[in-house]
Amino acid sequence: MKDLVEYVVKSLVEAPDEVSVEAFEDADETVLEITVAGPDMGRIIGKSGRVINAIRTMAQVAAAKQGIRVAVELVETGDR
Amino acid sequence: MSKKREIEVRGADVEKAIEAGLQKLGVNRSEVIIDVIDEGSRGLLGIGSREAVVRLVTLTVEPTPAPKVQPKPAVQPVVAKRETAVPTPKPTPKPAPTSSNGSDVEATEADAEEKKMAEEVIATLLNKLGVDAQIDTSTSEPDDLTGRKVNVIDIEGEDLGVLIGPRGETLNAMQYLTRLMVGNQLQRRASFVVDVEGYRKRRQQALARLAERMAKKVVARRRPVSLEPMPPHERRIIHMTLRDNEEVYTQSSGEGNRRKVRILPK
């Protein structure tokens, strides 16, 4: 699932080397925290969040297969 | 790296709006992502006509050597096939106009480079999703309006309902993402269609039947009927199905994902 999100995000950004996805458990769900470079934030969010929501939808398919719940969060790297 | 620019333009129809926008930006078609916001409508004798609105976003092209794209054969104008033979001469759909520098990525033939990359991206995605499925790519019929053929990538296997989701939501998310992923790699807009077990084809047929049924209702009652909100490609199917209907015409109204089609008596 983490692998899936990482693959999608890296294919969408200008700076794939700055992409990282971390998974941790929070209560009853798995949280996937995506980190991308500042200038790539817009690409991953998309118009009205369309891209990040599509990523969430795909992550949920993977999670459902494993019988778990997933939350996808987006974080920006760099200094600003 | 060139700066990303984005504009919204209007025109009498989608093609004209795109042309106007390209001119404004001073770029050619292969350098922008084209997003049709409103297909517009011709209305009836100019009444109730709406201008088409498109959004053009320039691709941020990195200064890499120009990719070697195999030269495409001269584009033959494709005359869109019609299911029912209509004797009245209709303006035949023209293929997308060739941009002045000759790099015509919007050719009428399906894009072979895009096909290869899309298959690869989708296969990888399925693998990472833990879904066991095969991919079967075909070429669509030429589009009724543009004469363009696109790659249709059908995912086949057992128990693939999860990939379709409620009202095709998951399938649409997957198509949206994979188009962006492939578009990002090719540095131009990808326009392939992703399908699961022929779901889109079945949905298309169901929508066409719905359109015909509702049109009959409108005629019988002499009253407009509104359909439930639908995504753009589904609304388009309704519009296209009733385009040549003598007794009704169609309109879209509402904003964003609340946008829906109205069928009105002529």
Side-chain angles (χ1 to χ4, degrees):
Chain A
M1 192 168 63
K2 170 176 171 263
D3 219 30
L4 168 89
V5 171
E6 195 166 314
Y7 170 66
V8 172
V9 173
K10 282 191 170 174
S11 310
L12 292 173
V13 296
E14 299 254 291
D17 292 346
E18 294 190 46
V19 171
S20 71
V21 178
E22 267 176 65
F24 53 87
E25 302 302 318
D26 178 43
D28 59 341
E29 61 184 12
T30 301
V31 179
L32 292 179
E33 200 173 272
I34 306 170
T35 312
V36 302
D40 279 326
M41 285 294 282
R43 288 171 169 267
I44 297 306
I45 297 168
K47 283 240 154 54
S48 330
R50 202 168 158 201
V51 176
I52 187 71
N53 284 336
I55 293 172
R56 290 194 171 108
T57 302
M58 296 317 289
Q60 260 138 26
V61 172
K65 283 221 148 237
Q66 300 169 33
I68 55 175
R69 285 158 56 88
V70 68
V72 177
E73 309 289 352
L74 183 59
V75 185
E76 182 181 336
T77 52
D79 24 59
R80 261 214 278 180
Chain B
M1 205 185 300
S2 61
K3 213 168 155 225
K4 189 162 150 181
R5 285 176 299 160
E6 185 178 320
I7 56 166
E8 265 185 39
V9 278
R10 298 171 166 273
D13 59 39
V14 171
E15 265 313 310
K16 290 200 177 100
I18 293 171
E19 286 298 314
L22 292 176
Q23 217 154 47
K24 215 178 239 179
L25 290 170
V27 296
N28 64 46
R29 211 175 259 265
S30 56
E31 293 168 316
V32 293
I33 296 173
I34 300 170
D35 192 5
V36 177
I37 297 169
D38 190 336
E39 290 179 352
S41 86
R42 222 165 304 157
L44 176 66
L45 303 170
I47 302 160
S49 68
R50 239 179 28 253
E51 285 192 312
V53 185
V54 298
R55 178 184 296 131
L56 302 183
V57 184
T58 58
L59 294 163
T60 46
V61 187
E62 298 199 45
T64 43
K68 282 270 166 280
V69 180
Q70 53 273 63
K72 298 221 167 79
V75 177
Q76 290 285 7
V78 174
V79 178
K81 265 185 234 135
R82 317 218 56 188
E83 292 300 312
T84 48
V86 182
T88 42
K90 278 261 163 195
T92 14
K94 292 187 194 87
T98 313
S99 43
S100 49
N101 68 358
S103 80
D104 182 16
V105 291
E106 305 264 330
T108 39
E109 284 308 309
D111 185 332
E113 199 186 4
E114 178 198 275
K115 173 183 168 209
K116 192 166 151 254
M117 209 161 275
E119 284 177 338
E120 205 178 292
V121 165
I122 290 169
T124 310
L125 202 66
L126 291 173
N127 182 271
K128 293 191 188 293
L129 274 170
V131 170
D132 183 24
Q134 292 82 49
I135 287 174
D136 179 33
T137 308
S138 58
T139 304
S140 71
E141 289 291 303
D143 184 275
D144 255 12
L145 284 181
T146 59
R148 201 180 303 154
K149 295 182 189 173
V150 296
N151 292 310
V152 179
I153 297 164
D154 193 25
I155 302 168
E156 293 166 356
E158 308 254 311
D159 258 351
L160 296 182
V162 285
L163 291 183
I164 298 172
R167 318 190 89 256
E169 253 169 56
T170 307
L171 178 56
N172 287 337
M174 182 158 63
Q175 173 172 299
Y176 181 65
L177 279 183
T178 51
R179 276 184 178 180
L180 280 181
M181 291 159 83
V182 171
N184 193 28
Q185 281 186 54
L186 291 175
Q187 292 289 295
R188 62 166 190 257
R189 190 178 63 141
S191 54
F192 57 87
V193 171
V194 183
D195 203 352
V196 171
E197 293 275 320
Y199 167 82
R200 283 191 198 281
K201 201 174 265 176
R202 289 197 308 274
R203 177 87 182 137
Q204 179 170 353
Q205 287 160 355
L207 283 170
R209 285 195 303 268
L210 172 79
E212 298 287 2
R213 235 176 18 245
M214 289 303 139
K216 277 196 192 119
K217 208 169 187 176
V218 167
V219 172
R221 292 212 218 138
R222 303 293 310 155
R223 259 212 214 140
V225 165
S226 286
L227 305 181
E228 58 186 327
M230 290 172 192
H233 62 275
E234 296 199 347
R235 289 198 308 272
R236 188 166 189 274
I237 293 166
I238 308 284
H239 290 307
M240 296 302 283
T241 306
L242 299 177
R243 191 164 59 124
D244 294 330
N245 192 298
E246 312 261 299
E247 295 174 301
V248 298
Y249 67 103
T250 55
Q251 268 179 5
S252 290
S253 61
E255 287 301 313
N257 55 10
R258 302 292 311 159
R259 215 164 151 71
K260 56 190 180 181
V261 179
R262 254 163 90 80
I263 305 173
L264 305 94
K266 272 188 182 170

